[in-house]
Amino acid sequence: MTKLELFKYTGVEQGPKLLVLGAIHGNEPAGTIAIEKLRQQLDSGLVKLLKGSVCFMPICNPLAKDKDVRFIEHNLNRILNRHENEITQEHGFANQICDAIDNTDYILDIHSTHLEGDLPTVFNDFVTDETSSWANALNIGTVITSWRDMLNESDAPADFSDTVNYAHLKGKKALLVEAGYHYEPQAEDLAYQSIINTLEFLGMIEQTEKQIPNNDVAHMYKIVFKTEETGAFVKDWKHMDEVNCGDVIAKLDNGEELKAEYDGYVVIPFPTAKAGEEWFYLAKK
Ligand SMILES: [Zn+2]
């Protein structure tokens, strides 16, 4: 069984425990690169940890990362809970990530998306005053809530669990960042800044003076799976493209049109999704 790398840094004083996750999906390099940059700065003393501790798990799915694919047998962020029988390596990775989550207070899980031009967003699935303030402090642009509510109301598998859900079940606070398109350098910068902003928010590094405006908030309301029925998007949607209620998102070959039900956004469109995979999501303002 492959052991995931975990790097821990401890401040002088007691304080919060933060876990930062990269490459839960193997083809999403932004978090891994951002973690490497920050580790060098911590090692050299350029960034000083004042209190608490931060653990980095830079490559959560090393097998998928080696092949530059999202996952090998299981999408790690759909099976992120305890597995008594480690049938695949990804079950083993999930168990190791659960161990790391069990040993922390806060989790920042960094991802990226499929299409050039995708806007960055942060997902705050279990809203509290603290997670709302933290999500806003990341200063990413749009905060998206209600991911878990959307899943609960959909026909998605009931055991569909991700890092933020497992963290919530364990009483931890977690956010998931989508840093933009996988291969845009801005995604690495945004991933890095989101870790720095989290460390500042938790008082773990020196604060810099900055005014952060209230970010927009959007709410997930629909998940659409690709079915056996062939069909296509009516345009090249990007993550966070705005749509109005009634706008057609996709047309199936049987003539059925899939439409937005509220004014809002197309979320993480995946034009090459295969039957059974998540195709796109919708959020409302
Ligand atoms: Zn991802």
Side-chain angles (χ1 to χ4, degrees):
M1 175 58 61
T2 307
K3 183 124 178 51
L4 299 179
E5 285 187 314
L6 185 70
F7 302 96
K8 185 174 182 179
Y9 294 80
T10 307
V12 184
E13 289 178 41
Q14 297 253 317
K17 289 189 275 187
L18 171 68
L19 171 68
V20 184
L21 303 172
I24 286 268
H25 294 129
N27 60 342
E28 301 178 4
T32 308
I33 295 167
I35 289 170
E36 286 311 317
K37 178 177 169 181
L38 182 54
R39 283 189 56 224
Q40 284 176 15
Q41 294 175 333
L42 286 161
D43 288 337
S44 71
L46 195 66
V47 175
K48 284 194 178 62
L49 202 58
L50 302 176
K51 66 176 186 181
S53 63
V54 55
C55 282
F56 298 108
M57 210 174 234
I59 304 174
C60 291
N61 193 336
L63 297 184
K65 182 155 180 68
D66 283 348
K67 294 192 160 70
D68 194 28
V69 293
R70 194 164 162 78
F71 58 88
I72 306 289
E73 287 175 273
H74 303 287
N75 180 341
L76 203 43
N77 231 15
R78 300 292 177 266
I79 61 148
L80 211 292
N81 45 32
R82 293 279 175 189
H83 299 273
E84 255 179 60
N85 300 313
E86 296 185 0
I87 297 160
T88 68
Q89 289 259 31
E90 275 144 344
H91 288 139
F93 299 154
N95 283 343
Q96 292 178 59
I97 297 163
C98 289
D99 288 341
I101 291 173
D102 288 352
N103 287 316
T104 196
D105 305 319
Y106 299 90
I107 299 97
L108 184 68
D109 181 13
I110 302 175
H111 291 248
S112 55
T113 49
H114 319 293
L115 303 166
E116 205 170 345
D118 282 345
L119 292 178
T121 42
V122 52
F123 284 80
N124 179 12
D125 300 346
F126 299 95
V127 175
T128 66
D129 288 347
E130 188 182 30
T131 60
S132 295
S133 302
W134 174 17
N136 200 68
L138 297 186
N139 199 20
I140 281 177
T142 308
V143 178
I144 300 180
T145 74
S146 309
W147 169 264
R148 187 49 48 177
D149 304 326
M150 171 199 75
L151 287 179
N152 290 344
E153 287 165 21
S154 75
D155 45 16
D159 58 356
F160 187 119
S161 184
D162 49 44
T163 50
V164 178
N165 183 59
Y166 180 80
H168 175 74
L169 293 174
K170 295 288 168 173
K172 322 287 184 176
K173 302 276 165 46
L175 296 178
L176 185 149
V177 167
E178 292 286 359
Y181 176 50
H182 304 318
Y183 306 113
E184 268 168 343
Q186 295 96 301
E188 300 158 25
D189 295 343
L190 187 129
Y192 171 81
Q193 203 55 51
S194 66
I195 309 173
I196 291 288
N197 288 348
T198 294
L199 291 168
E200 284 192 29
F201 174 76
L202 295 172
M204 294 168 68
I205 60 172
E206 203 171 319
Q207 312 265 335
T208 52
E209 275 299 319
K210 58 187 156 198
Q211 290 287 331
I212 296 180
N214 275 336
N215 290 194
D216 291 336
V217 179
H219 313 278
M220 302 297 297
Y221 68 90
K222 196 167 186 75
I223 177 171
V224 178
F225 289 90
K226 194 86 168 62
T227 62
E228 296 293 339
E229 183 65 43
T230 49
F233 292 148
V234 298
K235 60 179 265 196
D236 291 335
W237 299 110
K238 309 287 186 212
H239 175 50
M240 298 307 286
D241 272 351
E242 291 201 34
V243 286
N244 294 318
C245 178
D247 283 355
V248 177
I249 311 297
K251 259 187 193 156
L252 303 182
D253 288 358
N254 66 8
E256 191 188 341
E257 293 181 325
L258 307 179
K259 294 178 181 177
E261 293 160 34
Y262 301 91
D263 291 352
Y265 307 92
V266 175
V267 175
I268 317 181
F270 190 21
T272 57
K274 300 185 199 77
E277 290 183 336
E278 295 151 48
W279 195 13
F280 63 96
Y281 315 84
L282 293 166
K284 57 187 174 184
K285 291 183 177 174

